[in-house]
Amino acid sequence: MIPTKKISIAMADDHAMLRKGLIKLLTVIGNYDALFDVDSGNEVIEQLKNHKIPDVLILDVNMAGRDGQQTAQWVSSHFPQVKILALSMFNDEATILRMIQAGAKGYITKNNDPEKLKEAIDTLYQKGIYLPESLSEKLFSGIKNNVLAIPEEPGLELTAKEKEFLSLLTQELSYKEIADRMFLSPRTIDDYRIKLTKKLNVKGKSGLIIYAINNGLR
């Protein structure tokens, strides 16, 4: 019997105990070859430049320095053959959309058990994409509400405050937290939300987030 090819994996997460524990466990329960585990996006880049190129890269979304989104953008641009599986504590549509926009082909939350992570890796390797049903509903809801929107008119200009609001919206902040950051009342922030959805001709929070990401406001 010809042995099945091992899937090469790598992981970036700035929580060393979690990262090393998961990598060790994955090599026990799955048919994997662990190429490297590091604690930052910059180290991922160094490893890839040194020709350690995994089939699947498990990438923490929130890391100090070069975060998961920035790392995913670099990896997908320079090593598109690497399948990126985003790993996060968050399951909101803003985070999911940002990572998929950045090049991730899969997304899983940290509250899942190791067997679910194994399933995600195997599915991503075999099919090229992985998104559990609970998260795909959030994602497609966001896309549905924005994809049919009429593009903005050429020359449409945003004020500095509007750009700041859109930028903060991509950072997983609540409207109250955005109000605090901008030193404005929640009512004023709500007015920004309503006016911008009309001005940009998008629908809901996800539409504003997609606009901000597509226009570099993050």
Side-chain angles (χ1 to χ4, degrees):
M1 182 176 178
I2 301 174
T4 306
K5 174 188 176 295
K6 284 192 173 184
I7 300 172
S8 59
I9 62 172
M11 185 173 184
D13 191 303
D14 56 7
H15 292 86
M17 187 179 296
L18 169 68
R19 182 182 77 244
K20 291 188 175 297
L22 273 178
I23 280 287
K24 185 174 182 180
L25 183 57
L26 285 170
T27 57
V28 171
I29 66 175
N31 190 34
Y32 307 128
D33 179 20
L35 295 189
F36 62 83
D37 66 275
V38 296
D39 64 6
S40 72
N42 288 330
E43 288 187 74
V44 169
I45 292 171
E46 287 303 311
Q47 293 290 337
L48 293 177
K49 286 181 176 178
N50 288 328
H51 308 291
K52 291 187 177 181
I53 304 172
D55 295 315
V56 176
L57 171 63
I58 306 163
L59 190 60
D60 184 22
V61 172
N62 296 293
M63 295 184 291
R66 189 187 293 265
D67 64 16
Q69 181 184 346
Q70 295 167 327
T71 306
Q73 288 171 332
W74 190 94
V75 173
S76 60
S77 175
H78 293 81
F79 294 90
Q81 71 272 36
V82 175
K83 298 175 177 65
I84 299 170
L85 176 63
L87 181 68
S88 177
M89 288 294 296
F90 303 99
N91 66 352
D92 60 289
E93 65 185 36
T95 306
I96 300 169
L97 287 167
R98 286 208 336 266
M99 289 306 294
I100 290 177
Q101 287 272 350
K105 302 299 182 184
Y107 195 103
I108 189 169
T109 53
K110 289 184 178 181
N111 62 354
N112 282 283
D113 59 41
E115 283 293 339
K116 198 69 177 178
L117 179 57
K118 176 181 179 298
E119 176 189 310
I121 294 169
D122 293 345
T123 303
L124 184 57
Y125 177 73
Q126 294 164 9
K127 299 182 179 180
I129 191 167
Y130 175 82
L131 198 65
E133 185 177 350
S134 59
L135 298 185
S136 62
E137 289 176 0
K138 287 177 176 284
L139 175 64
F140 283 108
S141 172
I143 293 174
K144 178 183 176 183
N145 289 333
N146 185 68
V147 123
L148 299 178
I150 300 170
E152 62 170 281
E153 296 178 7
L156 182 65
E157 293 186 4
L158 298 177
T159 67
K161 283 292 187 182
E162 288 173 335
K163 289 179 180 178
E164 182 183 2
F165 169 74
L166 289 170
S167 175
L168 291 171
L169 201 59
T170 70
Q171 297 176 31
E172 302 160 12
L173 300 173
S174 68
Y175 287 124
K176 184 181 184 307
E177 289 171 326
I178 292 174
D180 292 340
R181 292 278 188 96
M182 294 182 69
F183 302 103
L184 297 171
S185 69
R187 177 63 183 272
T188 301
I189 291 300
D190 197 46
D191 288 341
Y192 272 116
R193 177 186 63 79
I194 294 170
K195 289 176 181 177
L196 278 170
T197 54
K198 293 178 180 178
K199 185 174 183 177
L200 302 177
N201 196 25
V202 297
K203 297 180 180 178
K205 182 179 181 180
S206 59
L208 293 172
I209 291 168
I210 293 173
Y211 174 89
I213 292 171
N214 287 341
N215 289 274
L217 300 173
R218 52 174 180 244

